[in-house]
Amino acid sequence: MKKNVLRSISAMLMISVCTAMIGCSDDDEKKEETPTLYTRLGGIDAISTVVDDFLTNVVADTEINDKFEATVADSYRTQLLRANLIDQICAGAGGPCSYKGKSMKEAHAGMGISTVEFNALVGDLVKALDKNSVPTAEKNELLAVLGPMKADIVED
Ligand code: HEM
């Protein structure tokens, strides 16, 4: 009789432990299922559209477009900048791309870029993200990826 009671208790304990463990693994699965920023931005096509709108804004932005004159005059350079920006955003957002361009320090060395110009460019990106209805959370996450690059780009 005592043995049976002990068996029942240990069976109940095992069920509780299993339930708790299943509960835990459910939580882990939910965490793993959170899509990457890349996915939430809409993948490579959506990122490419944002970059195209961003470059259109930059070229029209009288605060900074003088810095891009030589780039705009050379279609190969323009296409390379576009491809590098797409890869950089895709990779930074956890997507399946690798950035093959120069480091931010190397790419902007000697350009004399000021904080005002940096902010103007970020404003052009925000405009492009808004045009494509990127939600606030994703917009802020992307800006948080790019923001720390300021130290390597700005020279004032
Ligand atoms: C978070 C801010 C910025 C990011 C993520 C960024 C990103 C890049 C990337 C990926 C490249 C290409 C590097 C390569 O050729 O290997 C580049 C080049 C360049 N960036 Fe930026 N940049 C930023 C800010 C700025 C600002 C504020 C300016 C000027 C106002 C600027 C002007 C340029 C120019 C002129 C080039 C050279 C384009 C060419 O090769 O013709 N960038 N940038």
Side-chain angles (χ1 to χ4, degrees), residues 27-106:
D27 281 354
D28 285 350
E29 273 164 27
K30 267 179 210 147
K31 267 180 217 149
E32 280 164 19
E33 277 167 20
T34 304
T36 60
L37 176 59
Y38 170 80
T39 301
R40 284 179 284 128
L41 285 171
I44 200 69
D45 290 346
I47 289 173
S48 303
T49 304
V50 166
V51 167
D52 286 337
D53 290 336
F54 168 55
L55 286 173
T56 301
N57 294 341
V58 166
V59 171
D61 188 340
T62 52
E63 188 95 60
I64 54 172
N65 59 9
D66 56 331
K67 292 243 167 17
F68 291 88
E69 253 171 31
T71 312
V72 172
D74 180 335
S75 64
Y76 175 76
R77 262 172 85 165
T78 306
Q79 285 313 304
L80 189 60
L81 177 61
R82 176 183 185 270
N84 277 328
L85 286 168
I86 293 169
D87 280 344
Q88 190 182 41
I89 291 175
C90 167
C97 311
S98 62
Y99 174 66
K100 303 165 211 74
K102 296 174 188 154
S103 72
M104 289 298 92
K105 212 175 180 78
E106 200 189 342

